[in-house]
Structure formats: structure tokens, C-alpha cells
Amino acid sequence: MSDIIQEQDWTPCHNHNFMKIKNGKIPPQALDLEEAIIGSVMIDKKGLDEIIDILVPEVFYKKEHQEIFRSIQQLYQNSKPVDIYTVSNQLRKNGQLEKSGGEFYLIELTQKVISSAHIEYHSRIVQQKFILRKLISISSNIIEHCYEDSTDVFELLDKAESKLFEINQKYLRTKKYETTQCLIRKAIDRIKEIEKNKEGLSGIPSGFHNLDKVTSGWQNSDLIILASRPGMGKTTFMLSMVRNIVIQQKVPVVIFSLEMSSIQLITRLISSETGISSEKLKSASLSDLDWKRLFYKTKKLKNAPLFIDDTPSLSIFSLRAKCRRLISQHGVKLVMIDYMQLMGISDPGSKLRNREQEISIISRSLKSLSKELDIPIIALSQLSRAVEIRGGNKRPLLSDLRESGAIEQDADIVLFIYRPEYYGFNTWDTEDKESCIGQAEIIIAKHRNGGLDRFRLKFISDQAKFMNFEEFKEENNPIWKEDYQKNVLEKENCFIEYLPNEENDKHENNFNYNNDSLKDEDFFSF
């Protein structure tokens, strides 16, 4: 490291405020302001009240100042008076009085100031100098590892990102206090905005009317957990919401898919949007009519503000960095994660933790991130096998949330998906014994800011889609019947409005999908 950062060679002058530098560089510091801060808090308690949430002992450059401020902090936390005598006594108890310069140095500090004026401004400068020193240390460590042949570049990037995130979280987060007058004004402005919305929703609508009635849409800073057993369709439900949000409302959304690839997800969305079954798309056994439908219906999806990231084992630090970029560059307003148990923790101490502790950390971090970014985060989660072991109707409970009770505690909303058909039931467990085939129940099991409820949706498995019943009745699923061409082409004027007549004729003449002549440009020409 000597060739990167030279050793400091300095001798203190008689005056503590200055140093004579012989060679090398001295780290950023402001000793005169450190002395002024410590001196002022010992003569004016009001000054301590202003900076106690800003400074911690390690931000001071001089070791003696760190110990003095640590003693001041201890006195403050124990509701003891802070002055030259109490600080001196506390340092003596800690065995640090002589190491900190003794009583004479404390007296000298108090004589350098006459009040605590501008103490907050001075504290901000001292804090900034400390952060600069931390950045130098982190950068030097990165440089050192960059020269090592055994360094994994992605692991190094992740560690660097986590260290920078730690600085921001630990030293730059400040408490924001607002008066009731200010808060009431903000609340009234928000009510006025909601009033302008025809649907009366304050958040992002999911597209499922019964759900939006209870939640008023997905609210900023909320963590929403969508949980079910495997095979119930939680990814399908997420994609159905995504389709409603990005296509119908044009709200930018990002999906972090840790389980499925981005191609698999977009294929599911294509199936949902076009009405072509997933099996047909997988096997590419499409008729000419299917291909026309595919090109026509995917035009809206192609222009939708949707972003998909399929990075495996995504860490909370990487998630935060990516979200901030997407919000800044593309105005993303909703984050979805599929699913949270597959997230990782880039922390050397994580190997010492069990999985339950890791999930607790991930859960708390997601809630913290939703508040910091002020957007809703929807995280999918697995349920434990306890659902299938117990008898009865097998409806999931909050206690079934897998691996950690922290998920239930941190979440603002917990949703469950329940499909009796999956367990071999043919009817709902109600008095009228209605058929449950092709249906799902969405259970709002926890709602921190509203009521609980449960409602049913139509589930179309071959198209990877959940629908409101009224929409399903309108559509009546006639897409692939014999009269499809007449019903759809007359209704929507398919393929005629998009291209000039000669282009249409040309395209129709070349509509051979059983060879390799179909290229990307054919798709994007629509």
C-alpha cells in the first residue's frame, strides 16, 4: 500500500490547530472545528441537543476527541448534566482522562469558545471530513484488491457497493421533524389529488377491482407480501397485475426475477396478452391466425414501460442500487421481487447466521428500502408445508409464512392465493357449494392501514392469467373459436390500420411461418 498512499510524516506545532507536513498527504480533517464543537457542548447543553443525532465518536479525527465525545454521549443518554466537571468525572470512570489530555485540556477546550452558535454547521463539516476519510480507506482497499489475481470482480463490486451503502445508512441518515401544520397541509393536498382521480384511488391500481377497493391501490412506502404454496400461481398473479399496470395505466414497473429467466417471464406475459396458450408458444405450433394475433397484440406490450432483471441471488445492496438507477433514469414507481427467499446477503458475517435470521434481515431491508425510495415494493414469498399437512380446506394462515415471523411483522399487506382445485376440491366450502374449477381466492390476511377481506378471481392456467369475473364474462374466452377471424378482425380492424394497403398485401403474401424467413424486423415493423 506504500506506493498508493504515502505514510504521513508530520510533527505537531505548539498550536494544536496546525501541523507541519514534511512528506506525503494528511487525511481530511478539521481539528479546530472538533475543538470548537466539544468546547461548546460543555458550556451550552442546547448545542448538544442540536448535534447528538449527527455526530458519533468515530467521526472525530483526533483520538482524544473521540474519547471525550464518547463520555459526553454517555452522560446525555443517562440524562446527566454535561459540563467540564461531569465530563472529567466520566472520563475518569472510563479510565480515559489522562489519555484524553487531562482536566487541563478540557479547560483549554472550553476557553476557545463563548457559545454554541453555528455548532450544527460545524458538525456537518466534521462529518463530511470523516466521510472523505472513509471513502479514501474504501478506495485504497479496492485498489489493493484490484491488483490481486485471485480477486473476483463481481464480488469486489458487491463489497464496494455494500460499504458505500453502509456509510449512507449509518452516517448520512438524519431525522426529519415536521410540524402538524406542515403535515396537515400535505394531507389535504393529497386528499385533493385523490379527489381528482375518477376511481378514488390514492395508490397504483392493481387492476383487480375488489382488491383496489380495500387497499385504494398500492401505496408508496408499503411492503406487500404475496405468498402461496408452489403451483398456486403467485408469479402468474404478479404478471397479471403487471399487465394491468404497465399496459392499461402506463405506470413504469421493474421485476426482479430470481427464479425464472427474463425470456420465460416475457413469454408468460405474451401468452396472457394474446390469449395464446403457453403450450402453443413453447412448442411454436401456431397457425397463421395465431401469428397475426401474436404480432398485433404484442405491440402494446412492446411499448410498455416494463423492466425485467433476472440476476440470480440478488443482494439487498445490489437491489437498492439498481432501484435508484431505474427510478432516476426511467421513473419506475413499483418494484416487484420474485421471490424473496432467493435473495442473498453480501455480508461476511452471513455465514454465521441461519436462514431464518437471513430472511429477517432481507425482510427488514425491503421495508426500509420501500420507505427510503418512497415506492411500493411487492415481494413474492413461499409458504411452509404446514398448509398441506393440516386437514380442512387448506386455506393459508399468517403463521404459514416460511422461515421467518419477521415477514409478517415487517409487511404492511400480506396477500395469500388459494385455489381449492389444486388440492382436488371441486366446490367452494360454502353453503351453496359453488364450483371452484378455474377460480382462485385472494385473501388479504394482513392490512396495516385498512380492513381484511377475501374475494375470487377467474384463473386461466393455459394463458397464465388472473381476471376479474366481469372481464372474463365480456371476453367469454372465444379467442380461438371458428368465428374468431370475423369477431376480432371486424371489431378491432386488425392489421389494416397499421400498414399501408400495399404493405399489408406484401405482408400477407409472405406470411409463411413454417420456415426461417421470419426475422426480428418483421416483428418490430408492427
Side-chain angles (χ1 to χ4, degrees):
M1 293 292 292
S2 59
D3 60 328
I4 300 168
I5 299 180
Q6 295 181 357
E7 289 290 329
Q8 300 170 16
D9 185 8
W10 57 272
T11 54
C13 293
H14 179 69
N15 189 331
H16 289 289
N17 294 329
F18 300 94
M19 298 174 186
K20 186 190 291 182
I21 311 298
K22 288 184 179 179
N23 296 303
K25 296 179 180 178
I26 185 168
Q29 43 76 34
L31 283 181
D32 52 345
L33 294 183
E34 290 184 12
E35 292 173 350
I37 290 166
I38 294 173
S40 27
V41 298
M42 286 194 289
I43 64 171
D44 187 355
K45 184 178 182 299
K46 190 195 299 184
L48 183 56
D49 291 333
E50 290 183 31
I51 67 160
I52 197 67
D53 289 330
I54 300 173
L55 300 181
V56 289
E58 56 262 35
V59 306
F60 291 92
Y61 180 70
K62 199 171 180 180
K63 182 71 174 175
E64 290 89 337
H65 295 166
Q66 292 181 13
E67 294 301 332
I68 295 170
F69 192 79
R70 185 172 287 109
S71 297
I72 291 171
Q73 205 177 44
Q74 291 169 346
L75 291 168
Y76 186 88
Q77 289 169 353
N78 294 323
S79 302
K80 299 286 181 63
V82 176
D83 56 41
I84 190 170
Y85 300 108
T86 56
V87 173
S88 174
N89 189 47
Q90 186 64 43
L91 281 167
R92 190 177 288 108
K93 282 183 181 178
N94 296 342
Q96 298 293 330
L97 181 59
E98 296 306 318
K99 293 179 182 177
S100 303
E103 293 178 349
F104 178 76
Y105 186 56
L106 295 179
I107 294 168
E108 194 178 53
L109 290 175
T110 58
Q111 289 177 340
K112 291 186 176 183
V113 291
I114 57 174
S115 75
S116 61
H118 313 302
I119 189 171
E120 183 179 352
Y121 179 72
H122 294 162
S123 296
R124 297 289 181 192
I125 295 174
V126 169
Q127 184 190 49
Q128 288 170 19
K129 298 295 184 184
F130 165 74
I131 291 171
L132 288 172
R133 295 197 298 273
K134 291 287 286 183
L135 291 174
I136 290 171
S137 175
I138 292 169
S139 302
S140 300
N141 188 262
I142 292 170
I143 291 170
E144 186 176 355
H145 281 89
C146 285
Y147 283 103
E148 295 176 2
D149 294 335
S150 60
T151 298
D152 184 298
V153 65
F154 298 107
E155 185 180 349
L156 182 60
L157 277 170
D158 201 47
K159 284 182 179 178
E161 199 171 67
S162 67
K163 290 293 182 185
L164 294 173
F165 177 72
E166 183 184 342
I167 291 176
N168 184 64
Q169 291 291 99
K170 193 172 180 181
Y171 302 108
L172 293 179
R173 295 180 70 180
T174 57
K175 293 184 179 179
K176 296 179 181 179
Y177 302 100
E178 294 182 276
T179 64
T180 53
Q181 183 180 8
C182 177
L183 290 170
I184 289 171
R185 192 186 312 117
K186 285 183 178 180
I188 291 172
D189 290 342
R190 188 178 180 188
I191 293 168
K192 287 178 180 177
E193 288 179 9
I194 296 170
E195 188 182 29
K196 295 176 185 176
N197 189 330
K198 294 179 181 179
E199 297 179 355
L201 302 178
S202 55
I204 299 171
S206 67
F208 299 117
H209 311 315
N210 292 321
L211 179 58
D212 292 333
K213 282 178 187 175
V214 180
T215 63
S216 292
W218 303 128
Q219 306 295 318
N220 287 343
S221 80
D222 273 4
L223 173 62
I224 300 103
I225 299 296
L226 173 61
S228 74
R229 285 295 293 153
M232 282 289 169
K234 57 182 176 295
T235 303
T236 299
F237 184 77
M238 176 192 74
L239 291 176
S240 296
M241 278 196 297
V242 167
R243 175 180 173 270
N244 295 337
I245 293 168
V246 301
I247 293 179
Q248 296 176 8
Q249 303 164 46
K250 305 295 183 185
V251 174
V253 174
V254 58
I255 300 174
F256 291 97
S257 177
L258 287 79
E259 185 176 34
M260 301 173 67
S261 71
S262 54
I263 294 297
Q264 288 174 317
L265 277 184
I266 205 67
T267 303
R268 282 199 179 194
L269 272 173
I270 289 171
S271 175
S272 174
E273 180 64 15
T274 61
I276 304 173
S277 70
S278 300
E279 293 303 319
K280 277 191 171 185
L281 291 174
K282 285 179 185 176
S283 61
S285 55
L286 305 179
S287 65
D288 284 2
L289 196 58
D290 291 338
W291 279 107
K292 288 184 178 182
R293 180 75 178 181
L294 179 66
F295 284 130
Y296 175 66
K297 281 292 187 179
T298 51
K299 186 178 188 298
K300 291 180 181 177
L301 186 59
K302 183 182 71 174
N303 297 323
L306 176 63
F307 307 89
I308 300 176
D309 185 314
D310 59 1
T311 305
S313 300
L314 186 69
S315 71
I316 196 69
F317 304 110
S318 298
L319 174 70
R320 179 182 178 275
K322 289 182 178 185
C323 285
R324 289 183 73 87
R325 268 196 302 273
L326 286 163
I327 290 170
S328 171
Q329 295 174 7
H330 303 287
V332 164
K333 297 189 182 301
L334 178 64
V335 173
M336 296 187 174
I337 301 165
D338 182 18
Y339 59 93
M340 67 182 295
Q341 276 87 358
L342 293 178
M343 293 188 70
I345 300 179
S346 294
D347 179 3
S350 63
K351 295 178 182 177
L352 305 175
R353 302 188 184 100
N354 59 39
R355 189 55 183 161
E356 183 177 343
Q357 291 171 326
E358 288 184 0
I359 294 297
S360 297
I361 292 170
I362 291 169
S363 175
R364 284 195 298 271
S365 299
L366 289 177
K367 176 56 187 172
S368 175
L369 186 61
S370 67
K371 286 186 69 178
E372 180 187 344
L373 301 177
D374 195 32
I375 59 172
I377 293 180
I378 300 176
L380 276 56
S381 177
Q382 293 279 27
L383 291 178
S384 68
R385 291 189 179 91
V387 179
E388 293 166 2
I389 294 171
R390 63 171 175 262
N393 56 34
K394 301 187 184 299
R395 270 192 182 85
L397 305 170
L398 285 172
S399 56
D400 297 324
L401 284 168
R402 189 174 177 182
E403 291 178 314
S404 178
I407 299 175
E408 176 189 347
Q409 180 182 331
D410 297 327
D412 295 282
I413 298 175
V414 177
L415 302 176
F416 293 134
I417 302 175
Y418 171 57
R419 289 197 300 113
E421 184 183 1
Y422 180 84
Y423 295 110
F425 299 117
N426 294 320
T427 60
W428 291 102
D429 54 344
T430 54
E431 292 181 2
D432 47 11
K433 297 294 180 183
E434 295 174 284
S435 172
C436 66
I437 305 301
Q439 296 183 22
E441 187 176 73
I442 307 301
I443 303 166
I444 305 175
K446 179 187 176 182
H447 189 192
R448 183 167 284 154
N449 302 307
L452 307 180
D453 199 1
R454 60 189 189 191
F455 58 93
R456 297 174 192 171
L457 294 173
K458 182 64 183 175
F459 175 65
I460 308 172
S461 59
D462 65 334
Q463 295 175 23
K465 185 192 298 184
F466 282 86
M467 296 180 70
N468 294 304
F469 274 105
E470 57 270 29
E471 292 174 358
F472 176 73
K473 287 174 183 175
E474 286 176 12
E475 188 174 289
N476 199 24
N477 208 22
I479 297 172
W480 305 113
K481 291 184 178 179
E482 293 294 328
D483 60 347
Y484 162 75
Q485 191 167 6
K486 179 183 176 183
N487 289 343
V488 175
L489 296 189
E490 286 182 2
K491 216 185 228 181
E492 298 179 347
N493 247 348
C494 279
F495 320 115
I496 297 173
E497 296 180 0
Y498 284 89
L499 296 170
N501 289 334
E502 60 270 18
E503 289 294 323
N504 273 308
D505 295 337
K506 177 183 174 184
H507 188 73
E508 289 293 337
N509 292 334
N510 294 320
F511 228 89
N512 180 10
Y513 300 103
N514 296 319
N515 57 37
D516 297 330
S517 63
L518 190 66
K519 298 180 180 178
D520 290 343
E521 49 266 33
D522 296 321
F523 176 83
F524 289 109
S525 67
F526 282 85

